[in-house]
């Protein structure tokens, strides 16, 4: 079983105090020491999935693992991924800068995105990122122009839309034809011709696709590999090129609830190999860009229980219990109807005999973290531990309602270290400016 198939971090257990322990740390103590809401990242789980990926793909001669940093991009997380030998898929100058400042060899970085600005392209060229994934005609022209001005060359992949519809939430599907991302297959010849004949500062290395996120069906990946390899063969033949790089994106799912059955990373590697073996071409360099499956399982969020309310719905009592976080630290339930599992960190062994709805603290009816979950009877001050919050939680967090973003700690072998400081009230106003005519003397 690979780590992405686990509902909880691999170090989770119940300790002698009867509390949930993660990375050897008592979660109730973590909540006390650092406050809540608190993002907790378990280093062993994170390194475990990195090793699962490396092991699964070890027979590939040319495999490049790139962590999709959009899932969670902080300096300490970047350091761990770098130590594990991963490169980085980045989509903004903020991600590029974070990775750069963490000491990463920038040739291992790919810059991706459907509307890269001049400023971002300039920075990426100055820092010498290894690959640009060129998304559209406008970008190809702009990138070539800026590279020309700087007298440098950019090595590129072409982002393609392979026309694959996979079964996941509509908002996180990206490979279908009606998508804002990439060139559709009818546009490929035109862009290759432009690169070959006009864009002299671009060197085409290969193709790139990403078909979606939270995918459970391996067939979607093998279909994608086949389409990409056929496209490489076709382009090489038609244009006399020697493209030999194929980036298959990310997308492998994780287990948010007992009902989710994501595939083992080994089976993903097998599916990719089988699809490749149907073709007699020289094995290209394969890039794989997982985000969620790398970091999701390693993360939990701790919240403190506050108010509660009971409503009578046609004679049935429904209990809402509010916690001190919600849609600003985890927007996924309200954005994608995402489901999560939670336990009570200070009394995980007590019988789960109450059905409750865990509500957030934000001023919106839709701010519900978990709808109807069976938990021990909740009281004010209890600590709730929500699982699988490592990916797309902090990275999509906001300051809605002018609430400070939570802190993040890294736990390992009974040690806990702050890797993101909790925002302060002064942080919240630090970017504000009052024009002099409005200032109060
Ligand atoms: N590569 C590319 C080009 C991508 O666009 C993405 C994700 C990935 C790799 C990583 O995919 P992953 O392995 O994480 O599935 N905010 C949404 C997910 C959006 C994913 C966008 N692209 C969510 O919370 O579910």
């Amino acid at each position: 079983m690979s780590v992405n198939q686990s509902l909880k971090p691999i170090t989770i257990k119940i300790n002698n105090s009867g509390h949930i322990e993660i990375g050897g740390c008592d979660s109730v103590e973590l909540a006390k020491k650092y406050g809540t809401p608190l993002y907790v990242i378990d280093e062993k789980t994170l390194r475990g999935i990195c090793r699962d990926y490396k092991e699964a793909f070890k027979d590939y001669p040319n495999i490049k693992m790139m962590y999709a940093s959009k899932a969670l991009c902080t300096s300490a997380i970047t350091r761990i991924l770098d130590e594990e030998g991963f490169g980085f898929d980045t989509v903004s100058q903020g991600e590029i800068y974070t990775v750069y400042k963490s000491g990463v060899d920038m040739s291992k970085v790919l810059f991706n995105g459907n509307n890269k600005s001049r400023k971002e392209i300039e920075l990426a060229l100055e820092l010498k990122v290894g690959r640009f994934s060129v998304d559209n005609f406008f970008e190809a022209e702009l990138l070539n122009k800026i590279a020309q001005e700087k007298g440098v060359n950019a090595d590129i992949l072409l982002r393609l839309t392979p026309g694959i519809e996979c079964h996941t939430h509509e908002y996180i599907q990206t490979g279908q034809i009606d998508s804002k991302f990439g060139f559709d297959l009818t546009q490929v010849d035109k862009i290759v011709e432009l690169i070959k004949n006009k864009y002299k500062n671009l060197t085409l290395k290969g193709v790139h696709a990403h078909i979606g996120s939270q995918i459970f069906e391996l067939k979607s990946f093998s279909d994608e590999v086949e389409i990409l390899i056929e496209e490489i063969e076709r382009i090489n033949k038609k244009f006399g090129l020697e493209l030999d790089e194929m980036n298959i994106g990310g997308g492998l799912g994780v287990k948010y609830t007992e009902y989710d059955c994501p595939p083992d990373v080994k089976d993903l590697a097998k599916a990719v190999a089988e699809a490749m073996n149907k073709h007699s071409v020289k094995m290209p360099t394969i890039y794989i860009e997982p985000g969620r499956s790398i970091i999701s399982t390693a993360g939990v969020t701790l919240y403190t229980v506050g108010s509660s309310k009971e409503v009578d719905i046609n004679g049935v009592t429904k209990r809402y219990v509010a916690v001190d976080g919600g849609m600003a630290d985890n927007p996924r339930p309200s954005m994608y109807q995402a489901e999560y599992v939670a336990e009570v960190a200070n009394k995980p062994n007590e019988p789960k005999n109450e059905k409750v709805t865990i509500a957030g603290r934000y001023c919106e009816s839709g701010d519900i973290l978990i709808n109807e979950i069976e938990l021990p009877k909740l009281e004010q001050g209890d600590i709730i531990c929500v699982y699988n919050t490592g990916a797309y939680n902090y990275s999509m967090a906001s300051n809605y309602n002018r609430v400070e973003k939570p802190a993040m700690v890294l736990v390992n072998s009974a040690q806990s270290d702050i890797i993101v400081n909790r925002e302060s009230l002064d942080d919240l106003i630090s970017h504000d400016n009052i024009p002099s005519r409005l200032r109060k003397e």
Side-chain angles (χ1 to χ4, degrees):
M1 176 167 130
S2 55
V3 170
N4 64 306
Q5 297 180 296
S6 163
L7 187 66
K8 304 176 185 178
I10 59 177
T11 63
I12 283 278
K13 61 179 197 189
I14 296 173
N15 66 12
N16 294 338
S17 320
H19 296 165
I20 292 177
E21 177 182 300
I22 170 170
C25 299
D26 183 317
S27 57
V28 179
E29 293 302 317
L30 290 175
K32 224 184 261 167
K33 181 166 179 192
Y34 300 105
T36 56
L38 181 69
Y39 297 112
V40 182
I41 302 287
D42 180 42
E43 189 171 342
K44 281 209 169 74
T45 305
L46 172 54
R47 292 194 189 266
I49 185 71
C50 292
R51 287 163 195 179
D52 287 343
Y53 264 100
K54 287 187 281 188
E55 175 66 21
F57 284 91
K58 73 174 185 313
D59 293 333
Y60 274 75
N62 309 312
I63 181 84
K64 288 196 193 297
M65 304 281 181
M66 314 286 280
Y67 168 59
S69 43
K70 60 178 77 64
L72 175 62
C73 185
T74 80
S75 306
I77 297 299
T78 302
R79 285 293 333 118
I80 295 175
L81 270 299
D82 189 35
E83 278 187 12
E84 290 295 331
F86 277 60
F88 295 86
D89 160 41
T90 59
V91 289
S92 67
Q93 62 173 2
E95 289 183 355
I96 291 174
Y97 189 68
T98 307
V99 165
Y100 171 70
K101 291 296 263 188
S102 314
V104 169
D105 167 1
M106 296 306 278
S107 69
K108 289 169 64 181
V109 176
L110 175 135
F111 188 20
N112 182 41
N114 70 317
N115 192 20
K116 306 172 182 79
S117 70
R118 168 175 264 274
K119 205 167 143 210
E120 288 178 310
I121 291 174
E122 281 174 353
L123 180 73
L125 286 172
E126 276 154 29
L127 297 181
K128 299 190 173 63
V129 305
R131 293 285 179 278
F132 287 78
S133 179
V134 171
D135 188 273
N136 51 64
F137 289 105
F138 170 77
E139 182 193 330
E141 175 145 352
L142 182 64
L143 176 59
N144 183 64
K145 189 161 172 248
I146 301 172
Q148 206 170 25
E149 286 165 14
K150 291 185 174 294
V152 295
N153 175 75
D155 288 334
I156 66 165
L157 305 179
L158 287 181
R159 172 76 185 260
L160 305 183
T161 321
I164 291 170
E165 309 220 355
C166 42
H167 295 130
T168 184
H169 194 284
E170 172 187 2
Y171 296 171
I172 52 181
Q173 271 188 1
T174 38
Q176 75 281 19
I177 292 293
D178 183 8
S179 161
K180 71 171 184 164
F181 295 105
F183 297 94
D184 69 55
L185 299 182
T186 62
Q187 299 173 317
V188 173
D189 285 3
K190 189 169 170 204
I191 184 66
V192 174
E193 238 156 51
L194 282 166
I195 295 164
K196 205 178 160 199
N197 301 322
K198 190 170 168 206
Y199 298 148
K200 297 294 175 199
N201 292 63
L202 304 186
T203 304
L204 183 56
K205 296 286 201 180
V207 295
H208 177 199
H210 169 77
I211 54 176
S213 205
Q214 185 60 356
I215 299 171
F216 291 170
E217 287 168 32
L218 291 176
K219 172 108 178 36
S220 308
F221 291 107
S222 30
D223 288 352
E224 179 197 12
V225 169
E226 287 207 42
I227 292 173
L228 293 185
I229 195 76
E230 277 163 20
E231 209 41 32
I232 288 184
E233 283 180 87
R234 195 189 65 76
I235 297 170
N236 283 348
K237 201 156 153 211
K238 179 159 182 184
F239 295 93
L241 295 172
E242 290 183 355
L243 306 190
D244 64 352
E245 295 187 11
M246 185 171 94
N247 183 332
I248 65 173
L252 186 67
V254 299
K255 192 175 181 69
Y256 284 110
T257 71
E258 286 300 340
Y259 305 104
D260 293 333
C261 298
D264 192 302
V265 180
K266 275 199 203 88
D267 295 323
L268 170 65
K270 237 185 258 162
V272 172
E274 277 165 19
M276 289 296 311
N277 290 341
K278 288 192 185 160
H279 297 263
S280 54
V281 286
K282 183 179 147 243
M283 188 73 124
T285 295
I286 298 180
Y287 292 77
I288 178 159
E289 281 174 344
R292 187 193 313 269
S293 55
I294 294 285
I295 194 69
S296 179
T297 320
V300 306
T301 307
L302 303 176
Y303 300 98
T304 304
V305 169
S307 64
S308 69
K309 162 182 180 171
E310 286 176 6
V311 260
D312 188 304
I313 304 167
N314 303 327
V316 181
T317 306
K318 178 171 181 179
R319 184 165 182 236
Y320 284 96
V321 171
V323 293
D324 51 358
M327 65 186 293
D329 59 78
N330 182 1
R332 300 194 71 260
S334 49
M335 271 180 99
Y336 314 120
Q337 300 81 50
E339 290 181 28
Y340 286 86
V341 167
E343 286 184 303
V344 187
N346 50 307
K347 47 187 185 195
N349 279 336
E350 283 187 17
K352 297 179 178 170
N353 51 13
E354 194 193 30
K355 204 182 250 178
V356 285
T357 289
I358 311 283
R361 51 126 335 138
Y362 293 89
C363 295
E364 248 184 75
S365 307
D367 177 26
I368 300 294
L369 276 178
I370 303 179
N371 209 2
E372 308 218 316
I373 177 172
E374 286 185 356
L375 289 176
K377 174 96 181 135
L378 286 173
E379 292 148 317
Q380 199 267 325
D382 282 340
I383 304 293
I384 304 268
C385 173
V386 179
Y387 292 111
N388 250 297
T389 59
Y392 303 114
N393 273 227
Y394 176 72
S395 68
M396 296 204 300
S398 74
N399 289 114
Y400 185 46
N401 289 177
R402 205 70 158 169
V403 173
E404 314 92 283
K405 281 190 201 144
M408 188 180 296
V409 294
L410 182 70
V411 291
N412 194 0
S413 308
Q415 190 180 330
S416 63
D417 295 292
I418 281 274
I419 56 170
V420 178
N421 288 314
R422 186 175 299 282
E423 284 181 350
S424 66
L425 291 175
D426 282 326
D427 287 333
L428 288 177
I429 58 167
S430 64
H431 287 73
D432 293 1
N433 185 40
I434 303 177
S436 55
R437 66 194 161 79
L438 295 179
R439 279 189 199 146
K440 204 168 172 188
E441 291 317 312

